[in-house]
Amino acid sequence: MAHRVHEHRQGRMPVAQTTVLTLPPSSQAKDLRPRLTPLDSLLCGAFAGAVAKTVIAPLDRTKIIFQVSSKRFSAKEAFRVIYCTYMKDGFLSLWRGNSATMVRVMPYAAIQFCSHEQYKKLLGGYYGFQGKALPPFPRLLAGSLAGTTAAMLTYPLDMVRARMAVTAKEMYSNIMHVFVRISQEEGVKTLYKGFTPTILGVIPYAGITFFTYETLKKLHADKTKRSQPYPYERLAFGACAGLIGQSASYPLDVVRRRMQTAGVIGSSYTTILGTMREIVKQEGIRRGLYKGLSMNWVKGPIAVGISFTTFDVMHNLLLKLHQMGYSIH
């Protein structure tokens, strides 16, 4: 009898063990929810960058024209340049160089937003905040790394875009013509002229911009208990982020543009400090290193607000499509 009871108990043990062993798969099933791939983030980022830059292209072109010249900037002069360009070359001339901008901005924005998502995951795992809002420093670091990654991979396109923005059609007919002519007449190294101030400017700009936007979203979620802000709230958060980020890094943006266009405006800007000294000597600090900043306060917040909002809206839309079983690739 005791032997039968012992066998009966032994026979029940595997049942209990089987029940325990079936728990991990059911808990893992929760992790099989649809997630966006890096390709999804690339597509969202490319679309966001294209929409934002196209909207503010005329203002961006006008800003570059002032940045690379010794003309004194004012709102009246800026709109006079826009009006004269329109009267002389037509409405579409306000978007001259926008094709080069799209060729640069779409991969730049795609890489920046995608790498930002990846850096957030990487830093979240490293600091123990996987799937949660990052603490302040990793949040700032993720933005800086994303901007630096994108700038390093797309810089020659930025150089081409700057050249097309400040020259007539007769000098450079298309994007490939810019590449070929610069390479032949000035050397391939010229395509990377201004690279150092670009990276030095991108580190604080991208870091502060992403940090501000993510922080405002977190504060909003904590206060309203809504995980997702409305589109107009995203626009406001992005505008604030763009305003702060661009103001912090603007002097390096002016230096970058001067170095990029030195070959076509007859200047010899070769180093960052040398360019800064020359600008301050000839034009002063406020009217030189911060020339066009007021226009950036108009176009910058609009561009960043549209860019962040478009990315988040597209991101959420693709996530819903994945959850419904659809795929765009």
Side-chain angles (χ1 to χ4, degrees):
M1 184 69 180
H3 181 66
R4 288 179 181 176
V5 171
H6 180 65
E7 285 184 76
H8 182 63
R9 285 175 180 172
Q10 282 182 328
R12 290 176 62 189
M13 289 300 289
V15 177
Q17 287 175 346
T18 303
T19 304
V20 173
L21 289 172
T22 56
L23 288 175
S26 63
S27 63
Q28 286 175 353
K30 294 181 181 179
D31 296 330
L32 298 177
R33 293 172 297 178
R35 294 179 183 275
L36 293 186
T37 65
L39 179 58
D40 293 318
S41 295
L42 282 170
L43 292 171
C44 292
F47 185 72
V51 171
K53 279 295 184 180
T54 301
V55 170
I56 54 95
L59 294 176
D60 208 24
R61 182 176 185 271
T62 304
K63 182 204 73 172
I64 293 174
I65 290 172
F66 277 97
Q67 280 185 328
V68 301
S69 71
S70 57
K71 293 180 182 177
R72 184 173 176 180
F73 177 84
S74 68
K76 183 179 178 180
E77 281 297 305
F79 284 106
R80 191 183 70 81
V81 168
I82 293 174
Y83 178 74
C84 290
T85 303
Y86 164 69
M87 293 300 293
K88 181 182 177 182
D89 301 315
F91 181 70
L92 291 180
S93 66
L94 296 173
W95 275 265
R96 173 162 167 74
N98 196 51
S99 57
T101 299
M102 290 300 100
V103 171
R104 168 193 167 264
V105 162
M106 291 182 73
Y108 180 91
I111 293 168
Q112 181 175 241
F113 279 110
C114 179
S115 60
H116 183 247
E117 294 297 311
Q118 300 309 308
Y119 284 130
K120 282 200 300 183
K121 291 178 185 177
L122 184 66
L123 292 171
Y126 181 80
Y127 285 96
F129 287 86
Q130 191 72 47
K132 301 177 184 177
L134 291 173
F137 177 70
R139 202 180 308 157
L140 182 71
L141 184 59
S144 294
L145 289 171
T148 303
T149 302
M152 288 176 67
L153 294 175
T154 63
Y155 184 77
L157 294 170
D158 187 46
M159 157 67 86
V160 169
R161 176 253 186 156
R163 285 291 180 95
M164 290 189 74
V166 300
T167 56
K169 293 180 182 178
E170 294 75 22
M171 187 164 188
Y172 298 120
S173 56
N174 55 51
I175 298 169
M176 283 307 300
H177 187 208
V178 184
F179 274 112
V180 172
R181 190 164 175 180
I182 290 176
S183 300
Q184 290 178 345
E185 297 179 2
E186 303 173 52
V188 177
K189 286 178 64 177
T190 304
L191 291 171
Y192 286 88
K193 198 167 186 178
F195 178 75
T196 304
T198 297
I199 296 300
L200 292 176
V202 159
I203 291 171
Y205 169 69
I208 292 170
T209 302
F210 276 105
F211 171 82
T212 304
Y213 184 70
E214 294 289 328
T215 300
L216 289 173
K217 282 206 304 182
K218 182 179 182 299
L219 293 173
H220 174 272
D222 292 342
K223 187 173 181 179
T224 63
K225 307 304 179 185
R226 282 190 284 115
S227 60
Q228 298 295 334
Y230 296 126
Y232 70 88
E233 292 172 327
R234 294 183 194 277
L235 278 170
F237 298 161
C240 290
L243 186 66
I244 296 169
Q246 292 192 342
S247 298
S249 61
Y250 193 78
L252 285 166
D253 190 44
V254 173
V255 171
R256 168 175 68 122
R257 293 302 184 200
R258 293 292 178 97
M259 293 178 73
Q260 285 177 337
T261 58
V264 293
I265 62 175
S267 300
S268 56
Y269 300 121
T270 54
T271 65
I272 299 173
L273 291 178
T275 304
M276 279 188 167
R277 277 197 300 266
E278 194 67 23
I279 293 172
V280 172
K281 181 181 176 181
Q282 293 183 1
E283 304 164 52
I285 295 175
R286 187 172 65 85
R287 292 176 180 172
L289 292 177
Y290 288 91
K291 181 187 289 185
L293 179 60
S294 57
M295 180 171 282
N296 243 36
W297 285 341
V298 175
K299 78 172 191 65
I302 294 173
V304 177
I306 292 173
S307 182
F308 278 122
T309 302
T310 304
F311 177 80
D312 278 352
V313 170
M314 287 295 296
H315 208 260
N316 292 334
L317 178 62
L318 286 183
L319 188 59
K320 288 179 182 178
L321 288 174
H322 278 292
Q323 289 171 345
M324 293 168 63
Y326 295 100
S327 178
I328 61 172
H329 52 79

